[in-house]
Amino acid sequence: MFIELNGVRHHYTSVGEGPPIVLVHGLGGSLHAWHGIAANLSLHHNVVALDLRGHGRSDTGKGTFSVKAWAQDVEALIAALELPPVTLVGHSMGTLVAQHLAAHNPEAVDNLVLLGGISYFEPPAKEAYTKRADIAEADGMDALVDDWLQGALAPRTHAKLPQLSGLLRDVFLRNDPHQYAKACRAMAKSPALKREGIGQPTLLMVGDHDRSTPIAMTEELHREIPVSRVKVIPAASHWAHLEQPDVIATNVLEFLT
C-alpha cells in the first residue's frame, strides 16, 4: 500500500488486528526485513511497517535526509491511520528514529523496543559513516558490501544459512548509492537526545555477535532510559531480526504482556 506523508509517497504494510505495533527498519533496509517478526506479532496485534523515505519502495523527496524528518514521517503515518498510542519498534538507524519520536511526541508511543539500539556516535564513528557515504557515491555499493555483510550476520549464520547471506547481499546492493550516502550522512549528523526524558517502558535487544551496535551500547541505553530492560539474542549479529525472528517476536510479546 502507498500513502503520502509530508509530501512524499511512502510504501507501508498493515497486517493483523489488535493493539498497534509500528516497525521501523534500519539503514539500507526496508519494511520486508521485518517479515518474520510481523508474521508472528500479527497473530495478536495490528502490525504496521513503513519504508522510510529513500528506502525500499518509498520516494526520496527533496533535499537531505534527517532522523527528525524520518520520525515526522512515522508520526504522520500513525496519525493518518488513526492509530491509538503504539508500540514502536526500531532497528539500528530505526532506533534513532524511534527514540526521537518517543521523546518528542510521547502521546503517540506507549512502549518502545530498540533492536541493535544506537546511543550516540563518537567522532570516529561519525567519520566512518561519512567515509562510507563518500565511497558509495564514488564507487557504488559493490565497494562496501563485503565488509558490511561480514558484520551483518553472526559467523554461525554465514555457515549454516549461506542462502540468507546471499539474499542480504542482494538487499544491500539494491540500494541506490546516492540515497544510501544521504542516509549515512543523516546518521552521522543525528542529534543528541536526553534519554532520561523517555518515559515509555523500553525493551532493548542486541545480538551477542553484534559489532555494529555492541552490547556495551545497549547497556548505555539501559542506564539512560529510566524504565528499560535488556535481552541479548543468542547466535545473532546486527541483523538479528533475520537470524532469530521467532526469539525476537517472543521477547516482544512477553514484554507487552
Side-chain angles (χ1 to χ4, degrees):
M1 295 180 284
F2 291 88
I3 188 172
E4 185 170 304
L5 305 170
N6 298 320
V8 176
R9 184 173 181 260
H10 283 76
H11 177 232
Y12 79 100
T13 58
S14 178
V15 294
E17 297 181 357
I21 297 176
V22 176
L23 307 174
V24 185
H25 64 78
L27 174 67
S30 76
L31 62 82
H32 294 298
W34 295 111
H35 188 80
I37 306 292
N40 281 279
L41 297 181
S42 63
L43 298 174
H44 307 280
H45 292 267
N46 173 211
V47 182
V48 177
L50 172 73
D51 282 340
L52 297 173
R53 62 172 68 194
H55 292 75
R57 300 175 68 191
S58 291
D59 292 343
T60 62
K62 298 180 180 179
T64 60
F65 298 150
S66 70
V67 170
K68 179 180 179 181
W70 285 319
Q72 289 172 338
D73 291 338
V74 177
E75 182 179 17
L77 179 66
I78 292 170
L81 299 182
E82 299 182 344
L83 299 177
V86 306
T87 294
L88 189 57
V89 182
H91 168 240
S92 191
M93 182 183 76
T95 70
L96 292 173
V97 176
Q99 290 174 70
H100 190 281
L101 181 52
H104 289 87
N105 188 359
E107 295 81 10
V109 181
D110 250 357
N111 302 283
L112 195 59
V113 179
L114 307 179
L115 172 63
I118 296 172
S119 54
Y120 73 99
F121 290 125
E122 296 282 1
K126 293 183 178 182
E127 292 168 6
Y129 275 104
T130 301
K131 181 179 179 181
R132 190 188 296 188
D134 293 340
I135 293 172
E137 288 181 324
D139 302 315
M141 303 305 292
D142 291 88
L144 296 168
V145 65
D146 289 333
D147 183 64
W148 175 87
L149 184 61
Q150 183 179 3
L153 302 173
R156 182 179 183 276
T157 306
H158 284 298
K160 297 289 187 180
L161 297 172
Q163 66 272 31
L164 181 56
S165 299
L167 287 172
L168 193 54
R169 173 184 289 272
D170 184 67
V171 167
F172 186 80
L173 291 174
R174 285 180 181 272
N175 280 280
D176 178 276
H178 298 289
Q179 305 309 323
Y180 183 83
K182 287 169 60 176
C184 286
R185 294 192 177 102
M187 291 268 285
K189 297 177 181 178
S190 56
L193 282 172
K194 296 181 178 178
R195 293 182 180 85
E196 63 272 13
I198 295 177
Q200 295 90 344
T202 302
L203 173 63
L204 304 167
M205 291 186 287
V206 60
D208 60 353
H209 284 79
D210 193 334
R211 72 179 193 186
S212 298
T213 54
I215 292 174
M217 189 172 282
T218 291
E219 291 174 341
E220 181 172 11
L221 288 170
H222 179 46
R223 290 192 296 269
E224 294 182 351
I225 299 175
V227 185
S228 61
R229 67 182 76 168
V230 174
K231 287 281 189 178
V232 177
I233 308 302
S237 186
H238 193 54
W239 285 66
H241 47 323
L242 297 183
E243 298 175 281
Q244 301 285 0
D246 293 348
V247 173
I248 290 171
T250 297
N251 282 332
V252 173
L253 291 173
E254 289 178 349
F255 170 64
L256 296 178
T257 56

